[in-house]
Amino acid sequence: MLERIRGYWGVENKVHHVRDVTQGEDASRIRMHQLPQIFAVARNFALNLYRANEFSNMAQAERFCKFGLDTLKTVFRMK
């Protein structure tokens, strides 16, 4: 039973908490049509990119990647 509880809180801390606190999902005013689902996919995609590039602190990754397109290209090795 304890393993299941720890597993639940692992998901909560890795995804839900980060999306709520770091990405401000709860404060979002997007409510029309399919936009909430589209933005949820985009937020998850961003988190997966950060984790794939070995960021351990998602808030730090967000701040670093908000500097501009050149920074994003450097971090994700794009041309």
Side-chain angles (χ1 to χ4, degrees), residues 1-78:
M1 186 166 130
L2 290 176
E3 189 174 312
R4 287 192 67 154
I5 292 171
R6 285 189 194 108
Y8 168 79
W9 284 107
V11 170
E12 177 67 27
N13 290 333
K14 283 187 175 182
V15 179
H16 298 284
H17 180 74
V18 172
R19 283 177 45 188
D20 290 344
V21 176
T22 304
Q23 295 179 329
E25 189 173 54
D26 286 347
S28 175
R29 306 279 296 162
I30 301 168
R31 306 267 190 266
M32 295 180 61
H33 308 294
Q34 297 296 319
L35 288 177
Q37 290 86 2
I38 293 169
F39 273 82
V41 169
R43 287 181 184 106
N44 286 338
F45 183 70
L47 290 177
N48 288 330
L49 283 176
Y50 297 153
R51 288 191 178 110
N53 284 280
E54 300 177 2
F55 281 100
S56 58
N57 184 328
M58 297 301 118
Q60 182 183 22
E62 288 254 327
R63 284 191 298 272
F64 183 73
C65 292
K66 284 184 181 178
F67 286 116
L69 190 57
D70 292 332
T71 304
L72 290 174
K73 287 179 182 178
T74 302
V75 169
F76 300 117
R77 295 172 208 83
M78 298 165 53

